[in-house]
Amino acid sequence: MPGENLLLRTLSAPLLSLLKPRLRLQQLTTGMVLFAAGDKVSSIYFPQSGAVSLVTDLAGGQMIETAMVGHEGVIGGCAALDDRGALHRAIVQIGGSGFALDAETARQAARESDDFRRTIIRHEQLVLAQAQQSVSELTRKLRAAGKTVRFAI
């Protein structure tokens, strides 16, 4: 039932009734990569259970988790706003299930529904806030270890 994902639960009944036939129930198995950085995101995911890490690959093969999304959100939501490549890798950390929605349907919904577009934007802002918190904590730890830390965009 789509109501088990808290983000889907916030959508209006008419919008949800339009999306519901396109939502596909999908198992999210631990270790499953939903998409990688640079990939064109073909589906966005609304978890009902489990957790998905959004990670950034670093030089030397390391990676850093920048955010985690569970039943309260959406993975790949930016694909509803445009069709650029993903900025991070999405890896299922705790298996569960969720609903997949093809990205083209999500983009169409975002074009036609202010409600859907605003909901996706608000969620992506929360993901950005998580990433900023991760960077802040990493910076604090590195500086405490005597490392010089500088960032550039």
Side-chain angles (χ1 to χ4, degrees), residues 93-105:
Q93 291 296 330
I94 300 171
S97 65
F99 293 97
L101 178 67
D102 70 277
E104 185 51 46
T105 297

Side-chain angles (χ1 to χ4, degrees), residues 57-63:
D57 295 314
L58 304 175
Q62 303 100 333
M63 65 178 146

Side-chain angles (χ1 to χ4, degrees), residues 13-89:
L15 177 56
L16 191 55
S17 69
L18 289 173
L19 295 178
K20 199 171 179 179
R22 303 299 298 265
L23 293 170
R24 301 176 320 275
L25 185 60
Q26 181 166 342
Q27 289 303 310
L28 303 172
T29 57
T30 301
M32 181 180 187
V33 176
L34 302 179
F35 50 81
D39 285 356
K40 186 171 182 173
V41 176
S42 60
S43 293
I44 67 174
Y45 301 87
F46 300 91
Q48 296 184 98
S49 59
V52 177
S53 290
L54 306 180
V55 301
T56 299
D57 295 314
L58 304 175
Q62 303 100 333
M63 65 178 146
I64 184 170
E65 180 180 76
T66 55
M68 184 170 279
V69 179
H71 75 283
E72 77 289 344
V74 59
I75 295 102
C78 279
L81 305 175
D82 67 43
D83 62 353
R84 295 182 186 162
L87 298 176
H88 47 257
R89 186 166 20 145

Side-chain angles (χ1 to χ4, degrees), residues 124-146:
E124 294 305 302
Q125 289 170 331
L126 290 172
V127 169
L128 176 59
Q130 276 192 59
Q132 290 170 329
Q133 182 61 37
S134 294
V135 168
S136 175
E137 182 62 18
L138 177 61
T139 300
R140 185 190 65 73
K141 287 180 178 180
L142 289 172
R143 287 185 175 150

